[in-house]
Amino acid sequence: GGGGEGGEEEGPWKARWTPAMEKKRLERLEKERADGTAPLPGMPVTKGYHGMFSTPDLLPGTPSPADIAKIKFDAIRKRMKEAKSQDHKALDRVARNQKVIGVELTLDAAAREGTGKYVAKKLFAKGLVPAIFFKSGMKVGELLQITSVQIEALCREHGHTGAGCRILKLNFDGGARTESVIAKQIAQHGVTRKVNNVAFMPVEDDTMVRVEVPVRVEGDETSPGVKRGGYVWKLKKRLTVVCKAKDIPPFFMIDCSQMDVNGKAMLKDLNVPAHVKVLMKDSDTTPVVKMQGKSSS
């Protein structure tokens, strides 16, 4: 008959499989699960039962399934870290060549046509980011496209919040037209954290604006609280301020070098410029930064 040779879909092993072999396989699998030697999916198997169901015998020195899973996980994490580091180094190198980081807050912009996910996907493939430029009284903003390298370098240098509290210069068509703006909204991808969209608003030096300013800390590594096992907890990572565009502080710095466990830094402890108004509820009772940890008895 053609049961053995013609069984291409099931394989020749199917004709020789018996209930006794199935029972033995299940007993062996139950024993391996009980003593913790059952292999993980993807581990190589020894030949036996026609190479379908048997598992390797763990000899002395053979890595356990948990060890193999950890090795695979560490390798994947290392590759992801190296790829991210190389990507950032390449972007920083290009950005410095284009004089973006630490020299001038300038972005090249050009008009774009169309909206939607399909248009955005085509822009991302070309190394561009969709943007929009709103002027006072405009019901519909001006559709723009900016260079991904420049905006990503700007956000890495100053942070996404910090990039939004700085006056930027938009260069249209190679400098034929320039506009002083602030990035009112910077939208990020939920996983990669790359910039997906930017909304710009024109400003002059005396324009009153409402922006968010990041809060930074320094001296925490040498603080008494950290030496005793505590850590700095930023309850307010950013503060909303109202001021003229020329008076926007780049950040609020808090010195934690003398902060002990349960120490706090309130809004009054920040060096807020005179022409800047911070919008914060319960500023007298809510700390901006706190040294969290257990104090010794």
Side-chain angles (χ1 to χ4, degrees), residues 139-157:
K139 294 184 179 180
V140 180
E142 183 179 353
L143 300 180
L144 304 177
Q145 60 188 30
I146 57 178
T147 307
S148 176
V149 168
Q150 292 180 327
I151 188 65
E152 292 288 351
L154 182 67
C155 291
R156 276 198 314 280
E157 181 76 2

Side-chain angles (χ1 to χ4, degrees), residues 3-54:
E5 296 293 332
E8 296 181 357
E9 296 181 359
E10 298 180 344
W13 62 272
K14 194 70 175 180
R16 299 193 295 270
W17 195 255
T18 63
M21 297 169 65
E22 175 67 9
K23 181 180 179 181
K24 188 175 181 180
R25 180 188 71 84
L26 294 176
E27 292 175 353
R28 182 176 181 179
L29 183 59
E30 189 67 23
K31 181 178 179 298
E32 290 173 341
R33 288 175 177 171
D35 57 21
T37 60
L40 295 176
M43 285 185 60
V45 297
T46 57
K47 287 188 177 181
Y49 296 140
H50 313 287
M52 294 300 296
F53 299 105
S54 63

Side-chain angles (χ1 to χ4, degrees), residues 223-265:
S223 64
V226 171
K227 291 181 179 179
R228 295 171 59 184
Y231 62 93
V232 174
W233 179 19
K234 287 198 293 186
L235 286 84
K236 301 290 183 181
K237 295 182 179 180
R238 58 190 70 88
L239 296 174
T240 303
V241 303
V242 176
C243 61
K244 293 182 179 180
K246 64 180 181 180
D247 296 329
I248 301 176
F251 51 81
F252 292 117
M253 183 65 73
I254 300 179
D255 185 11
C256 300
S257 59
Q258 304 300 322
M259 189 176 293
D260 205 344
V261 175
N262 295 328
K264 301 176 182 179

Side-chain angles (χ1 to χ4, degrees), residues 185-222:
Q185 183 178 11
I186 301 178
Q188 303 172 260
H189 190 277
V191 178
T192 64
R193 309 304 293 171
K194 290 187 176 181
V195 178
N196 276 356
N197 199 297
V198 185
F200 295 107
M201 182 185 78
V203 294
E204 300 293 339
D205 287 345
D206 295 332
T207 304
M208 294 297 294
V209 295
R210 175 174 173 167
V211 296
E212 290 185 335
V213 178
V215 175
R216 299 181 181 178
V217 297
E218 63 179 359
D220 52 317
E221 297 89 352
T222 59

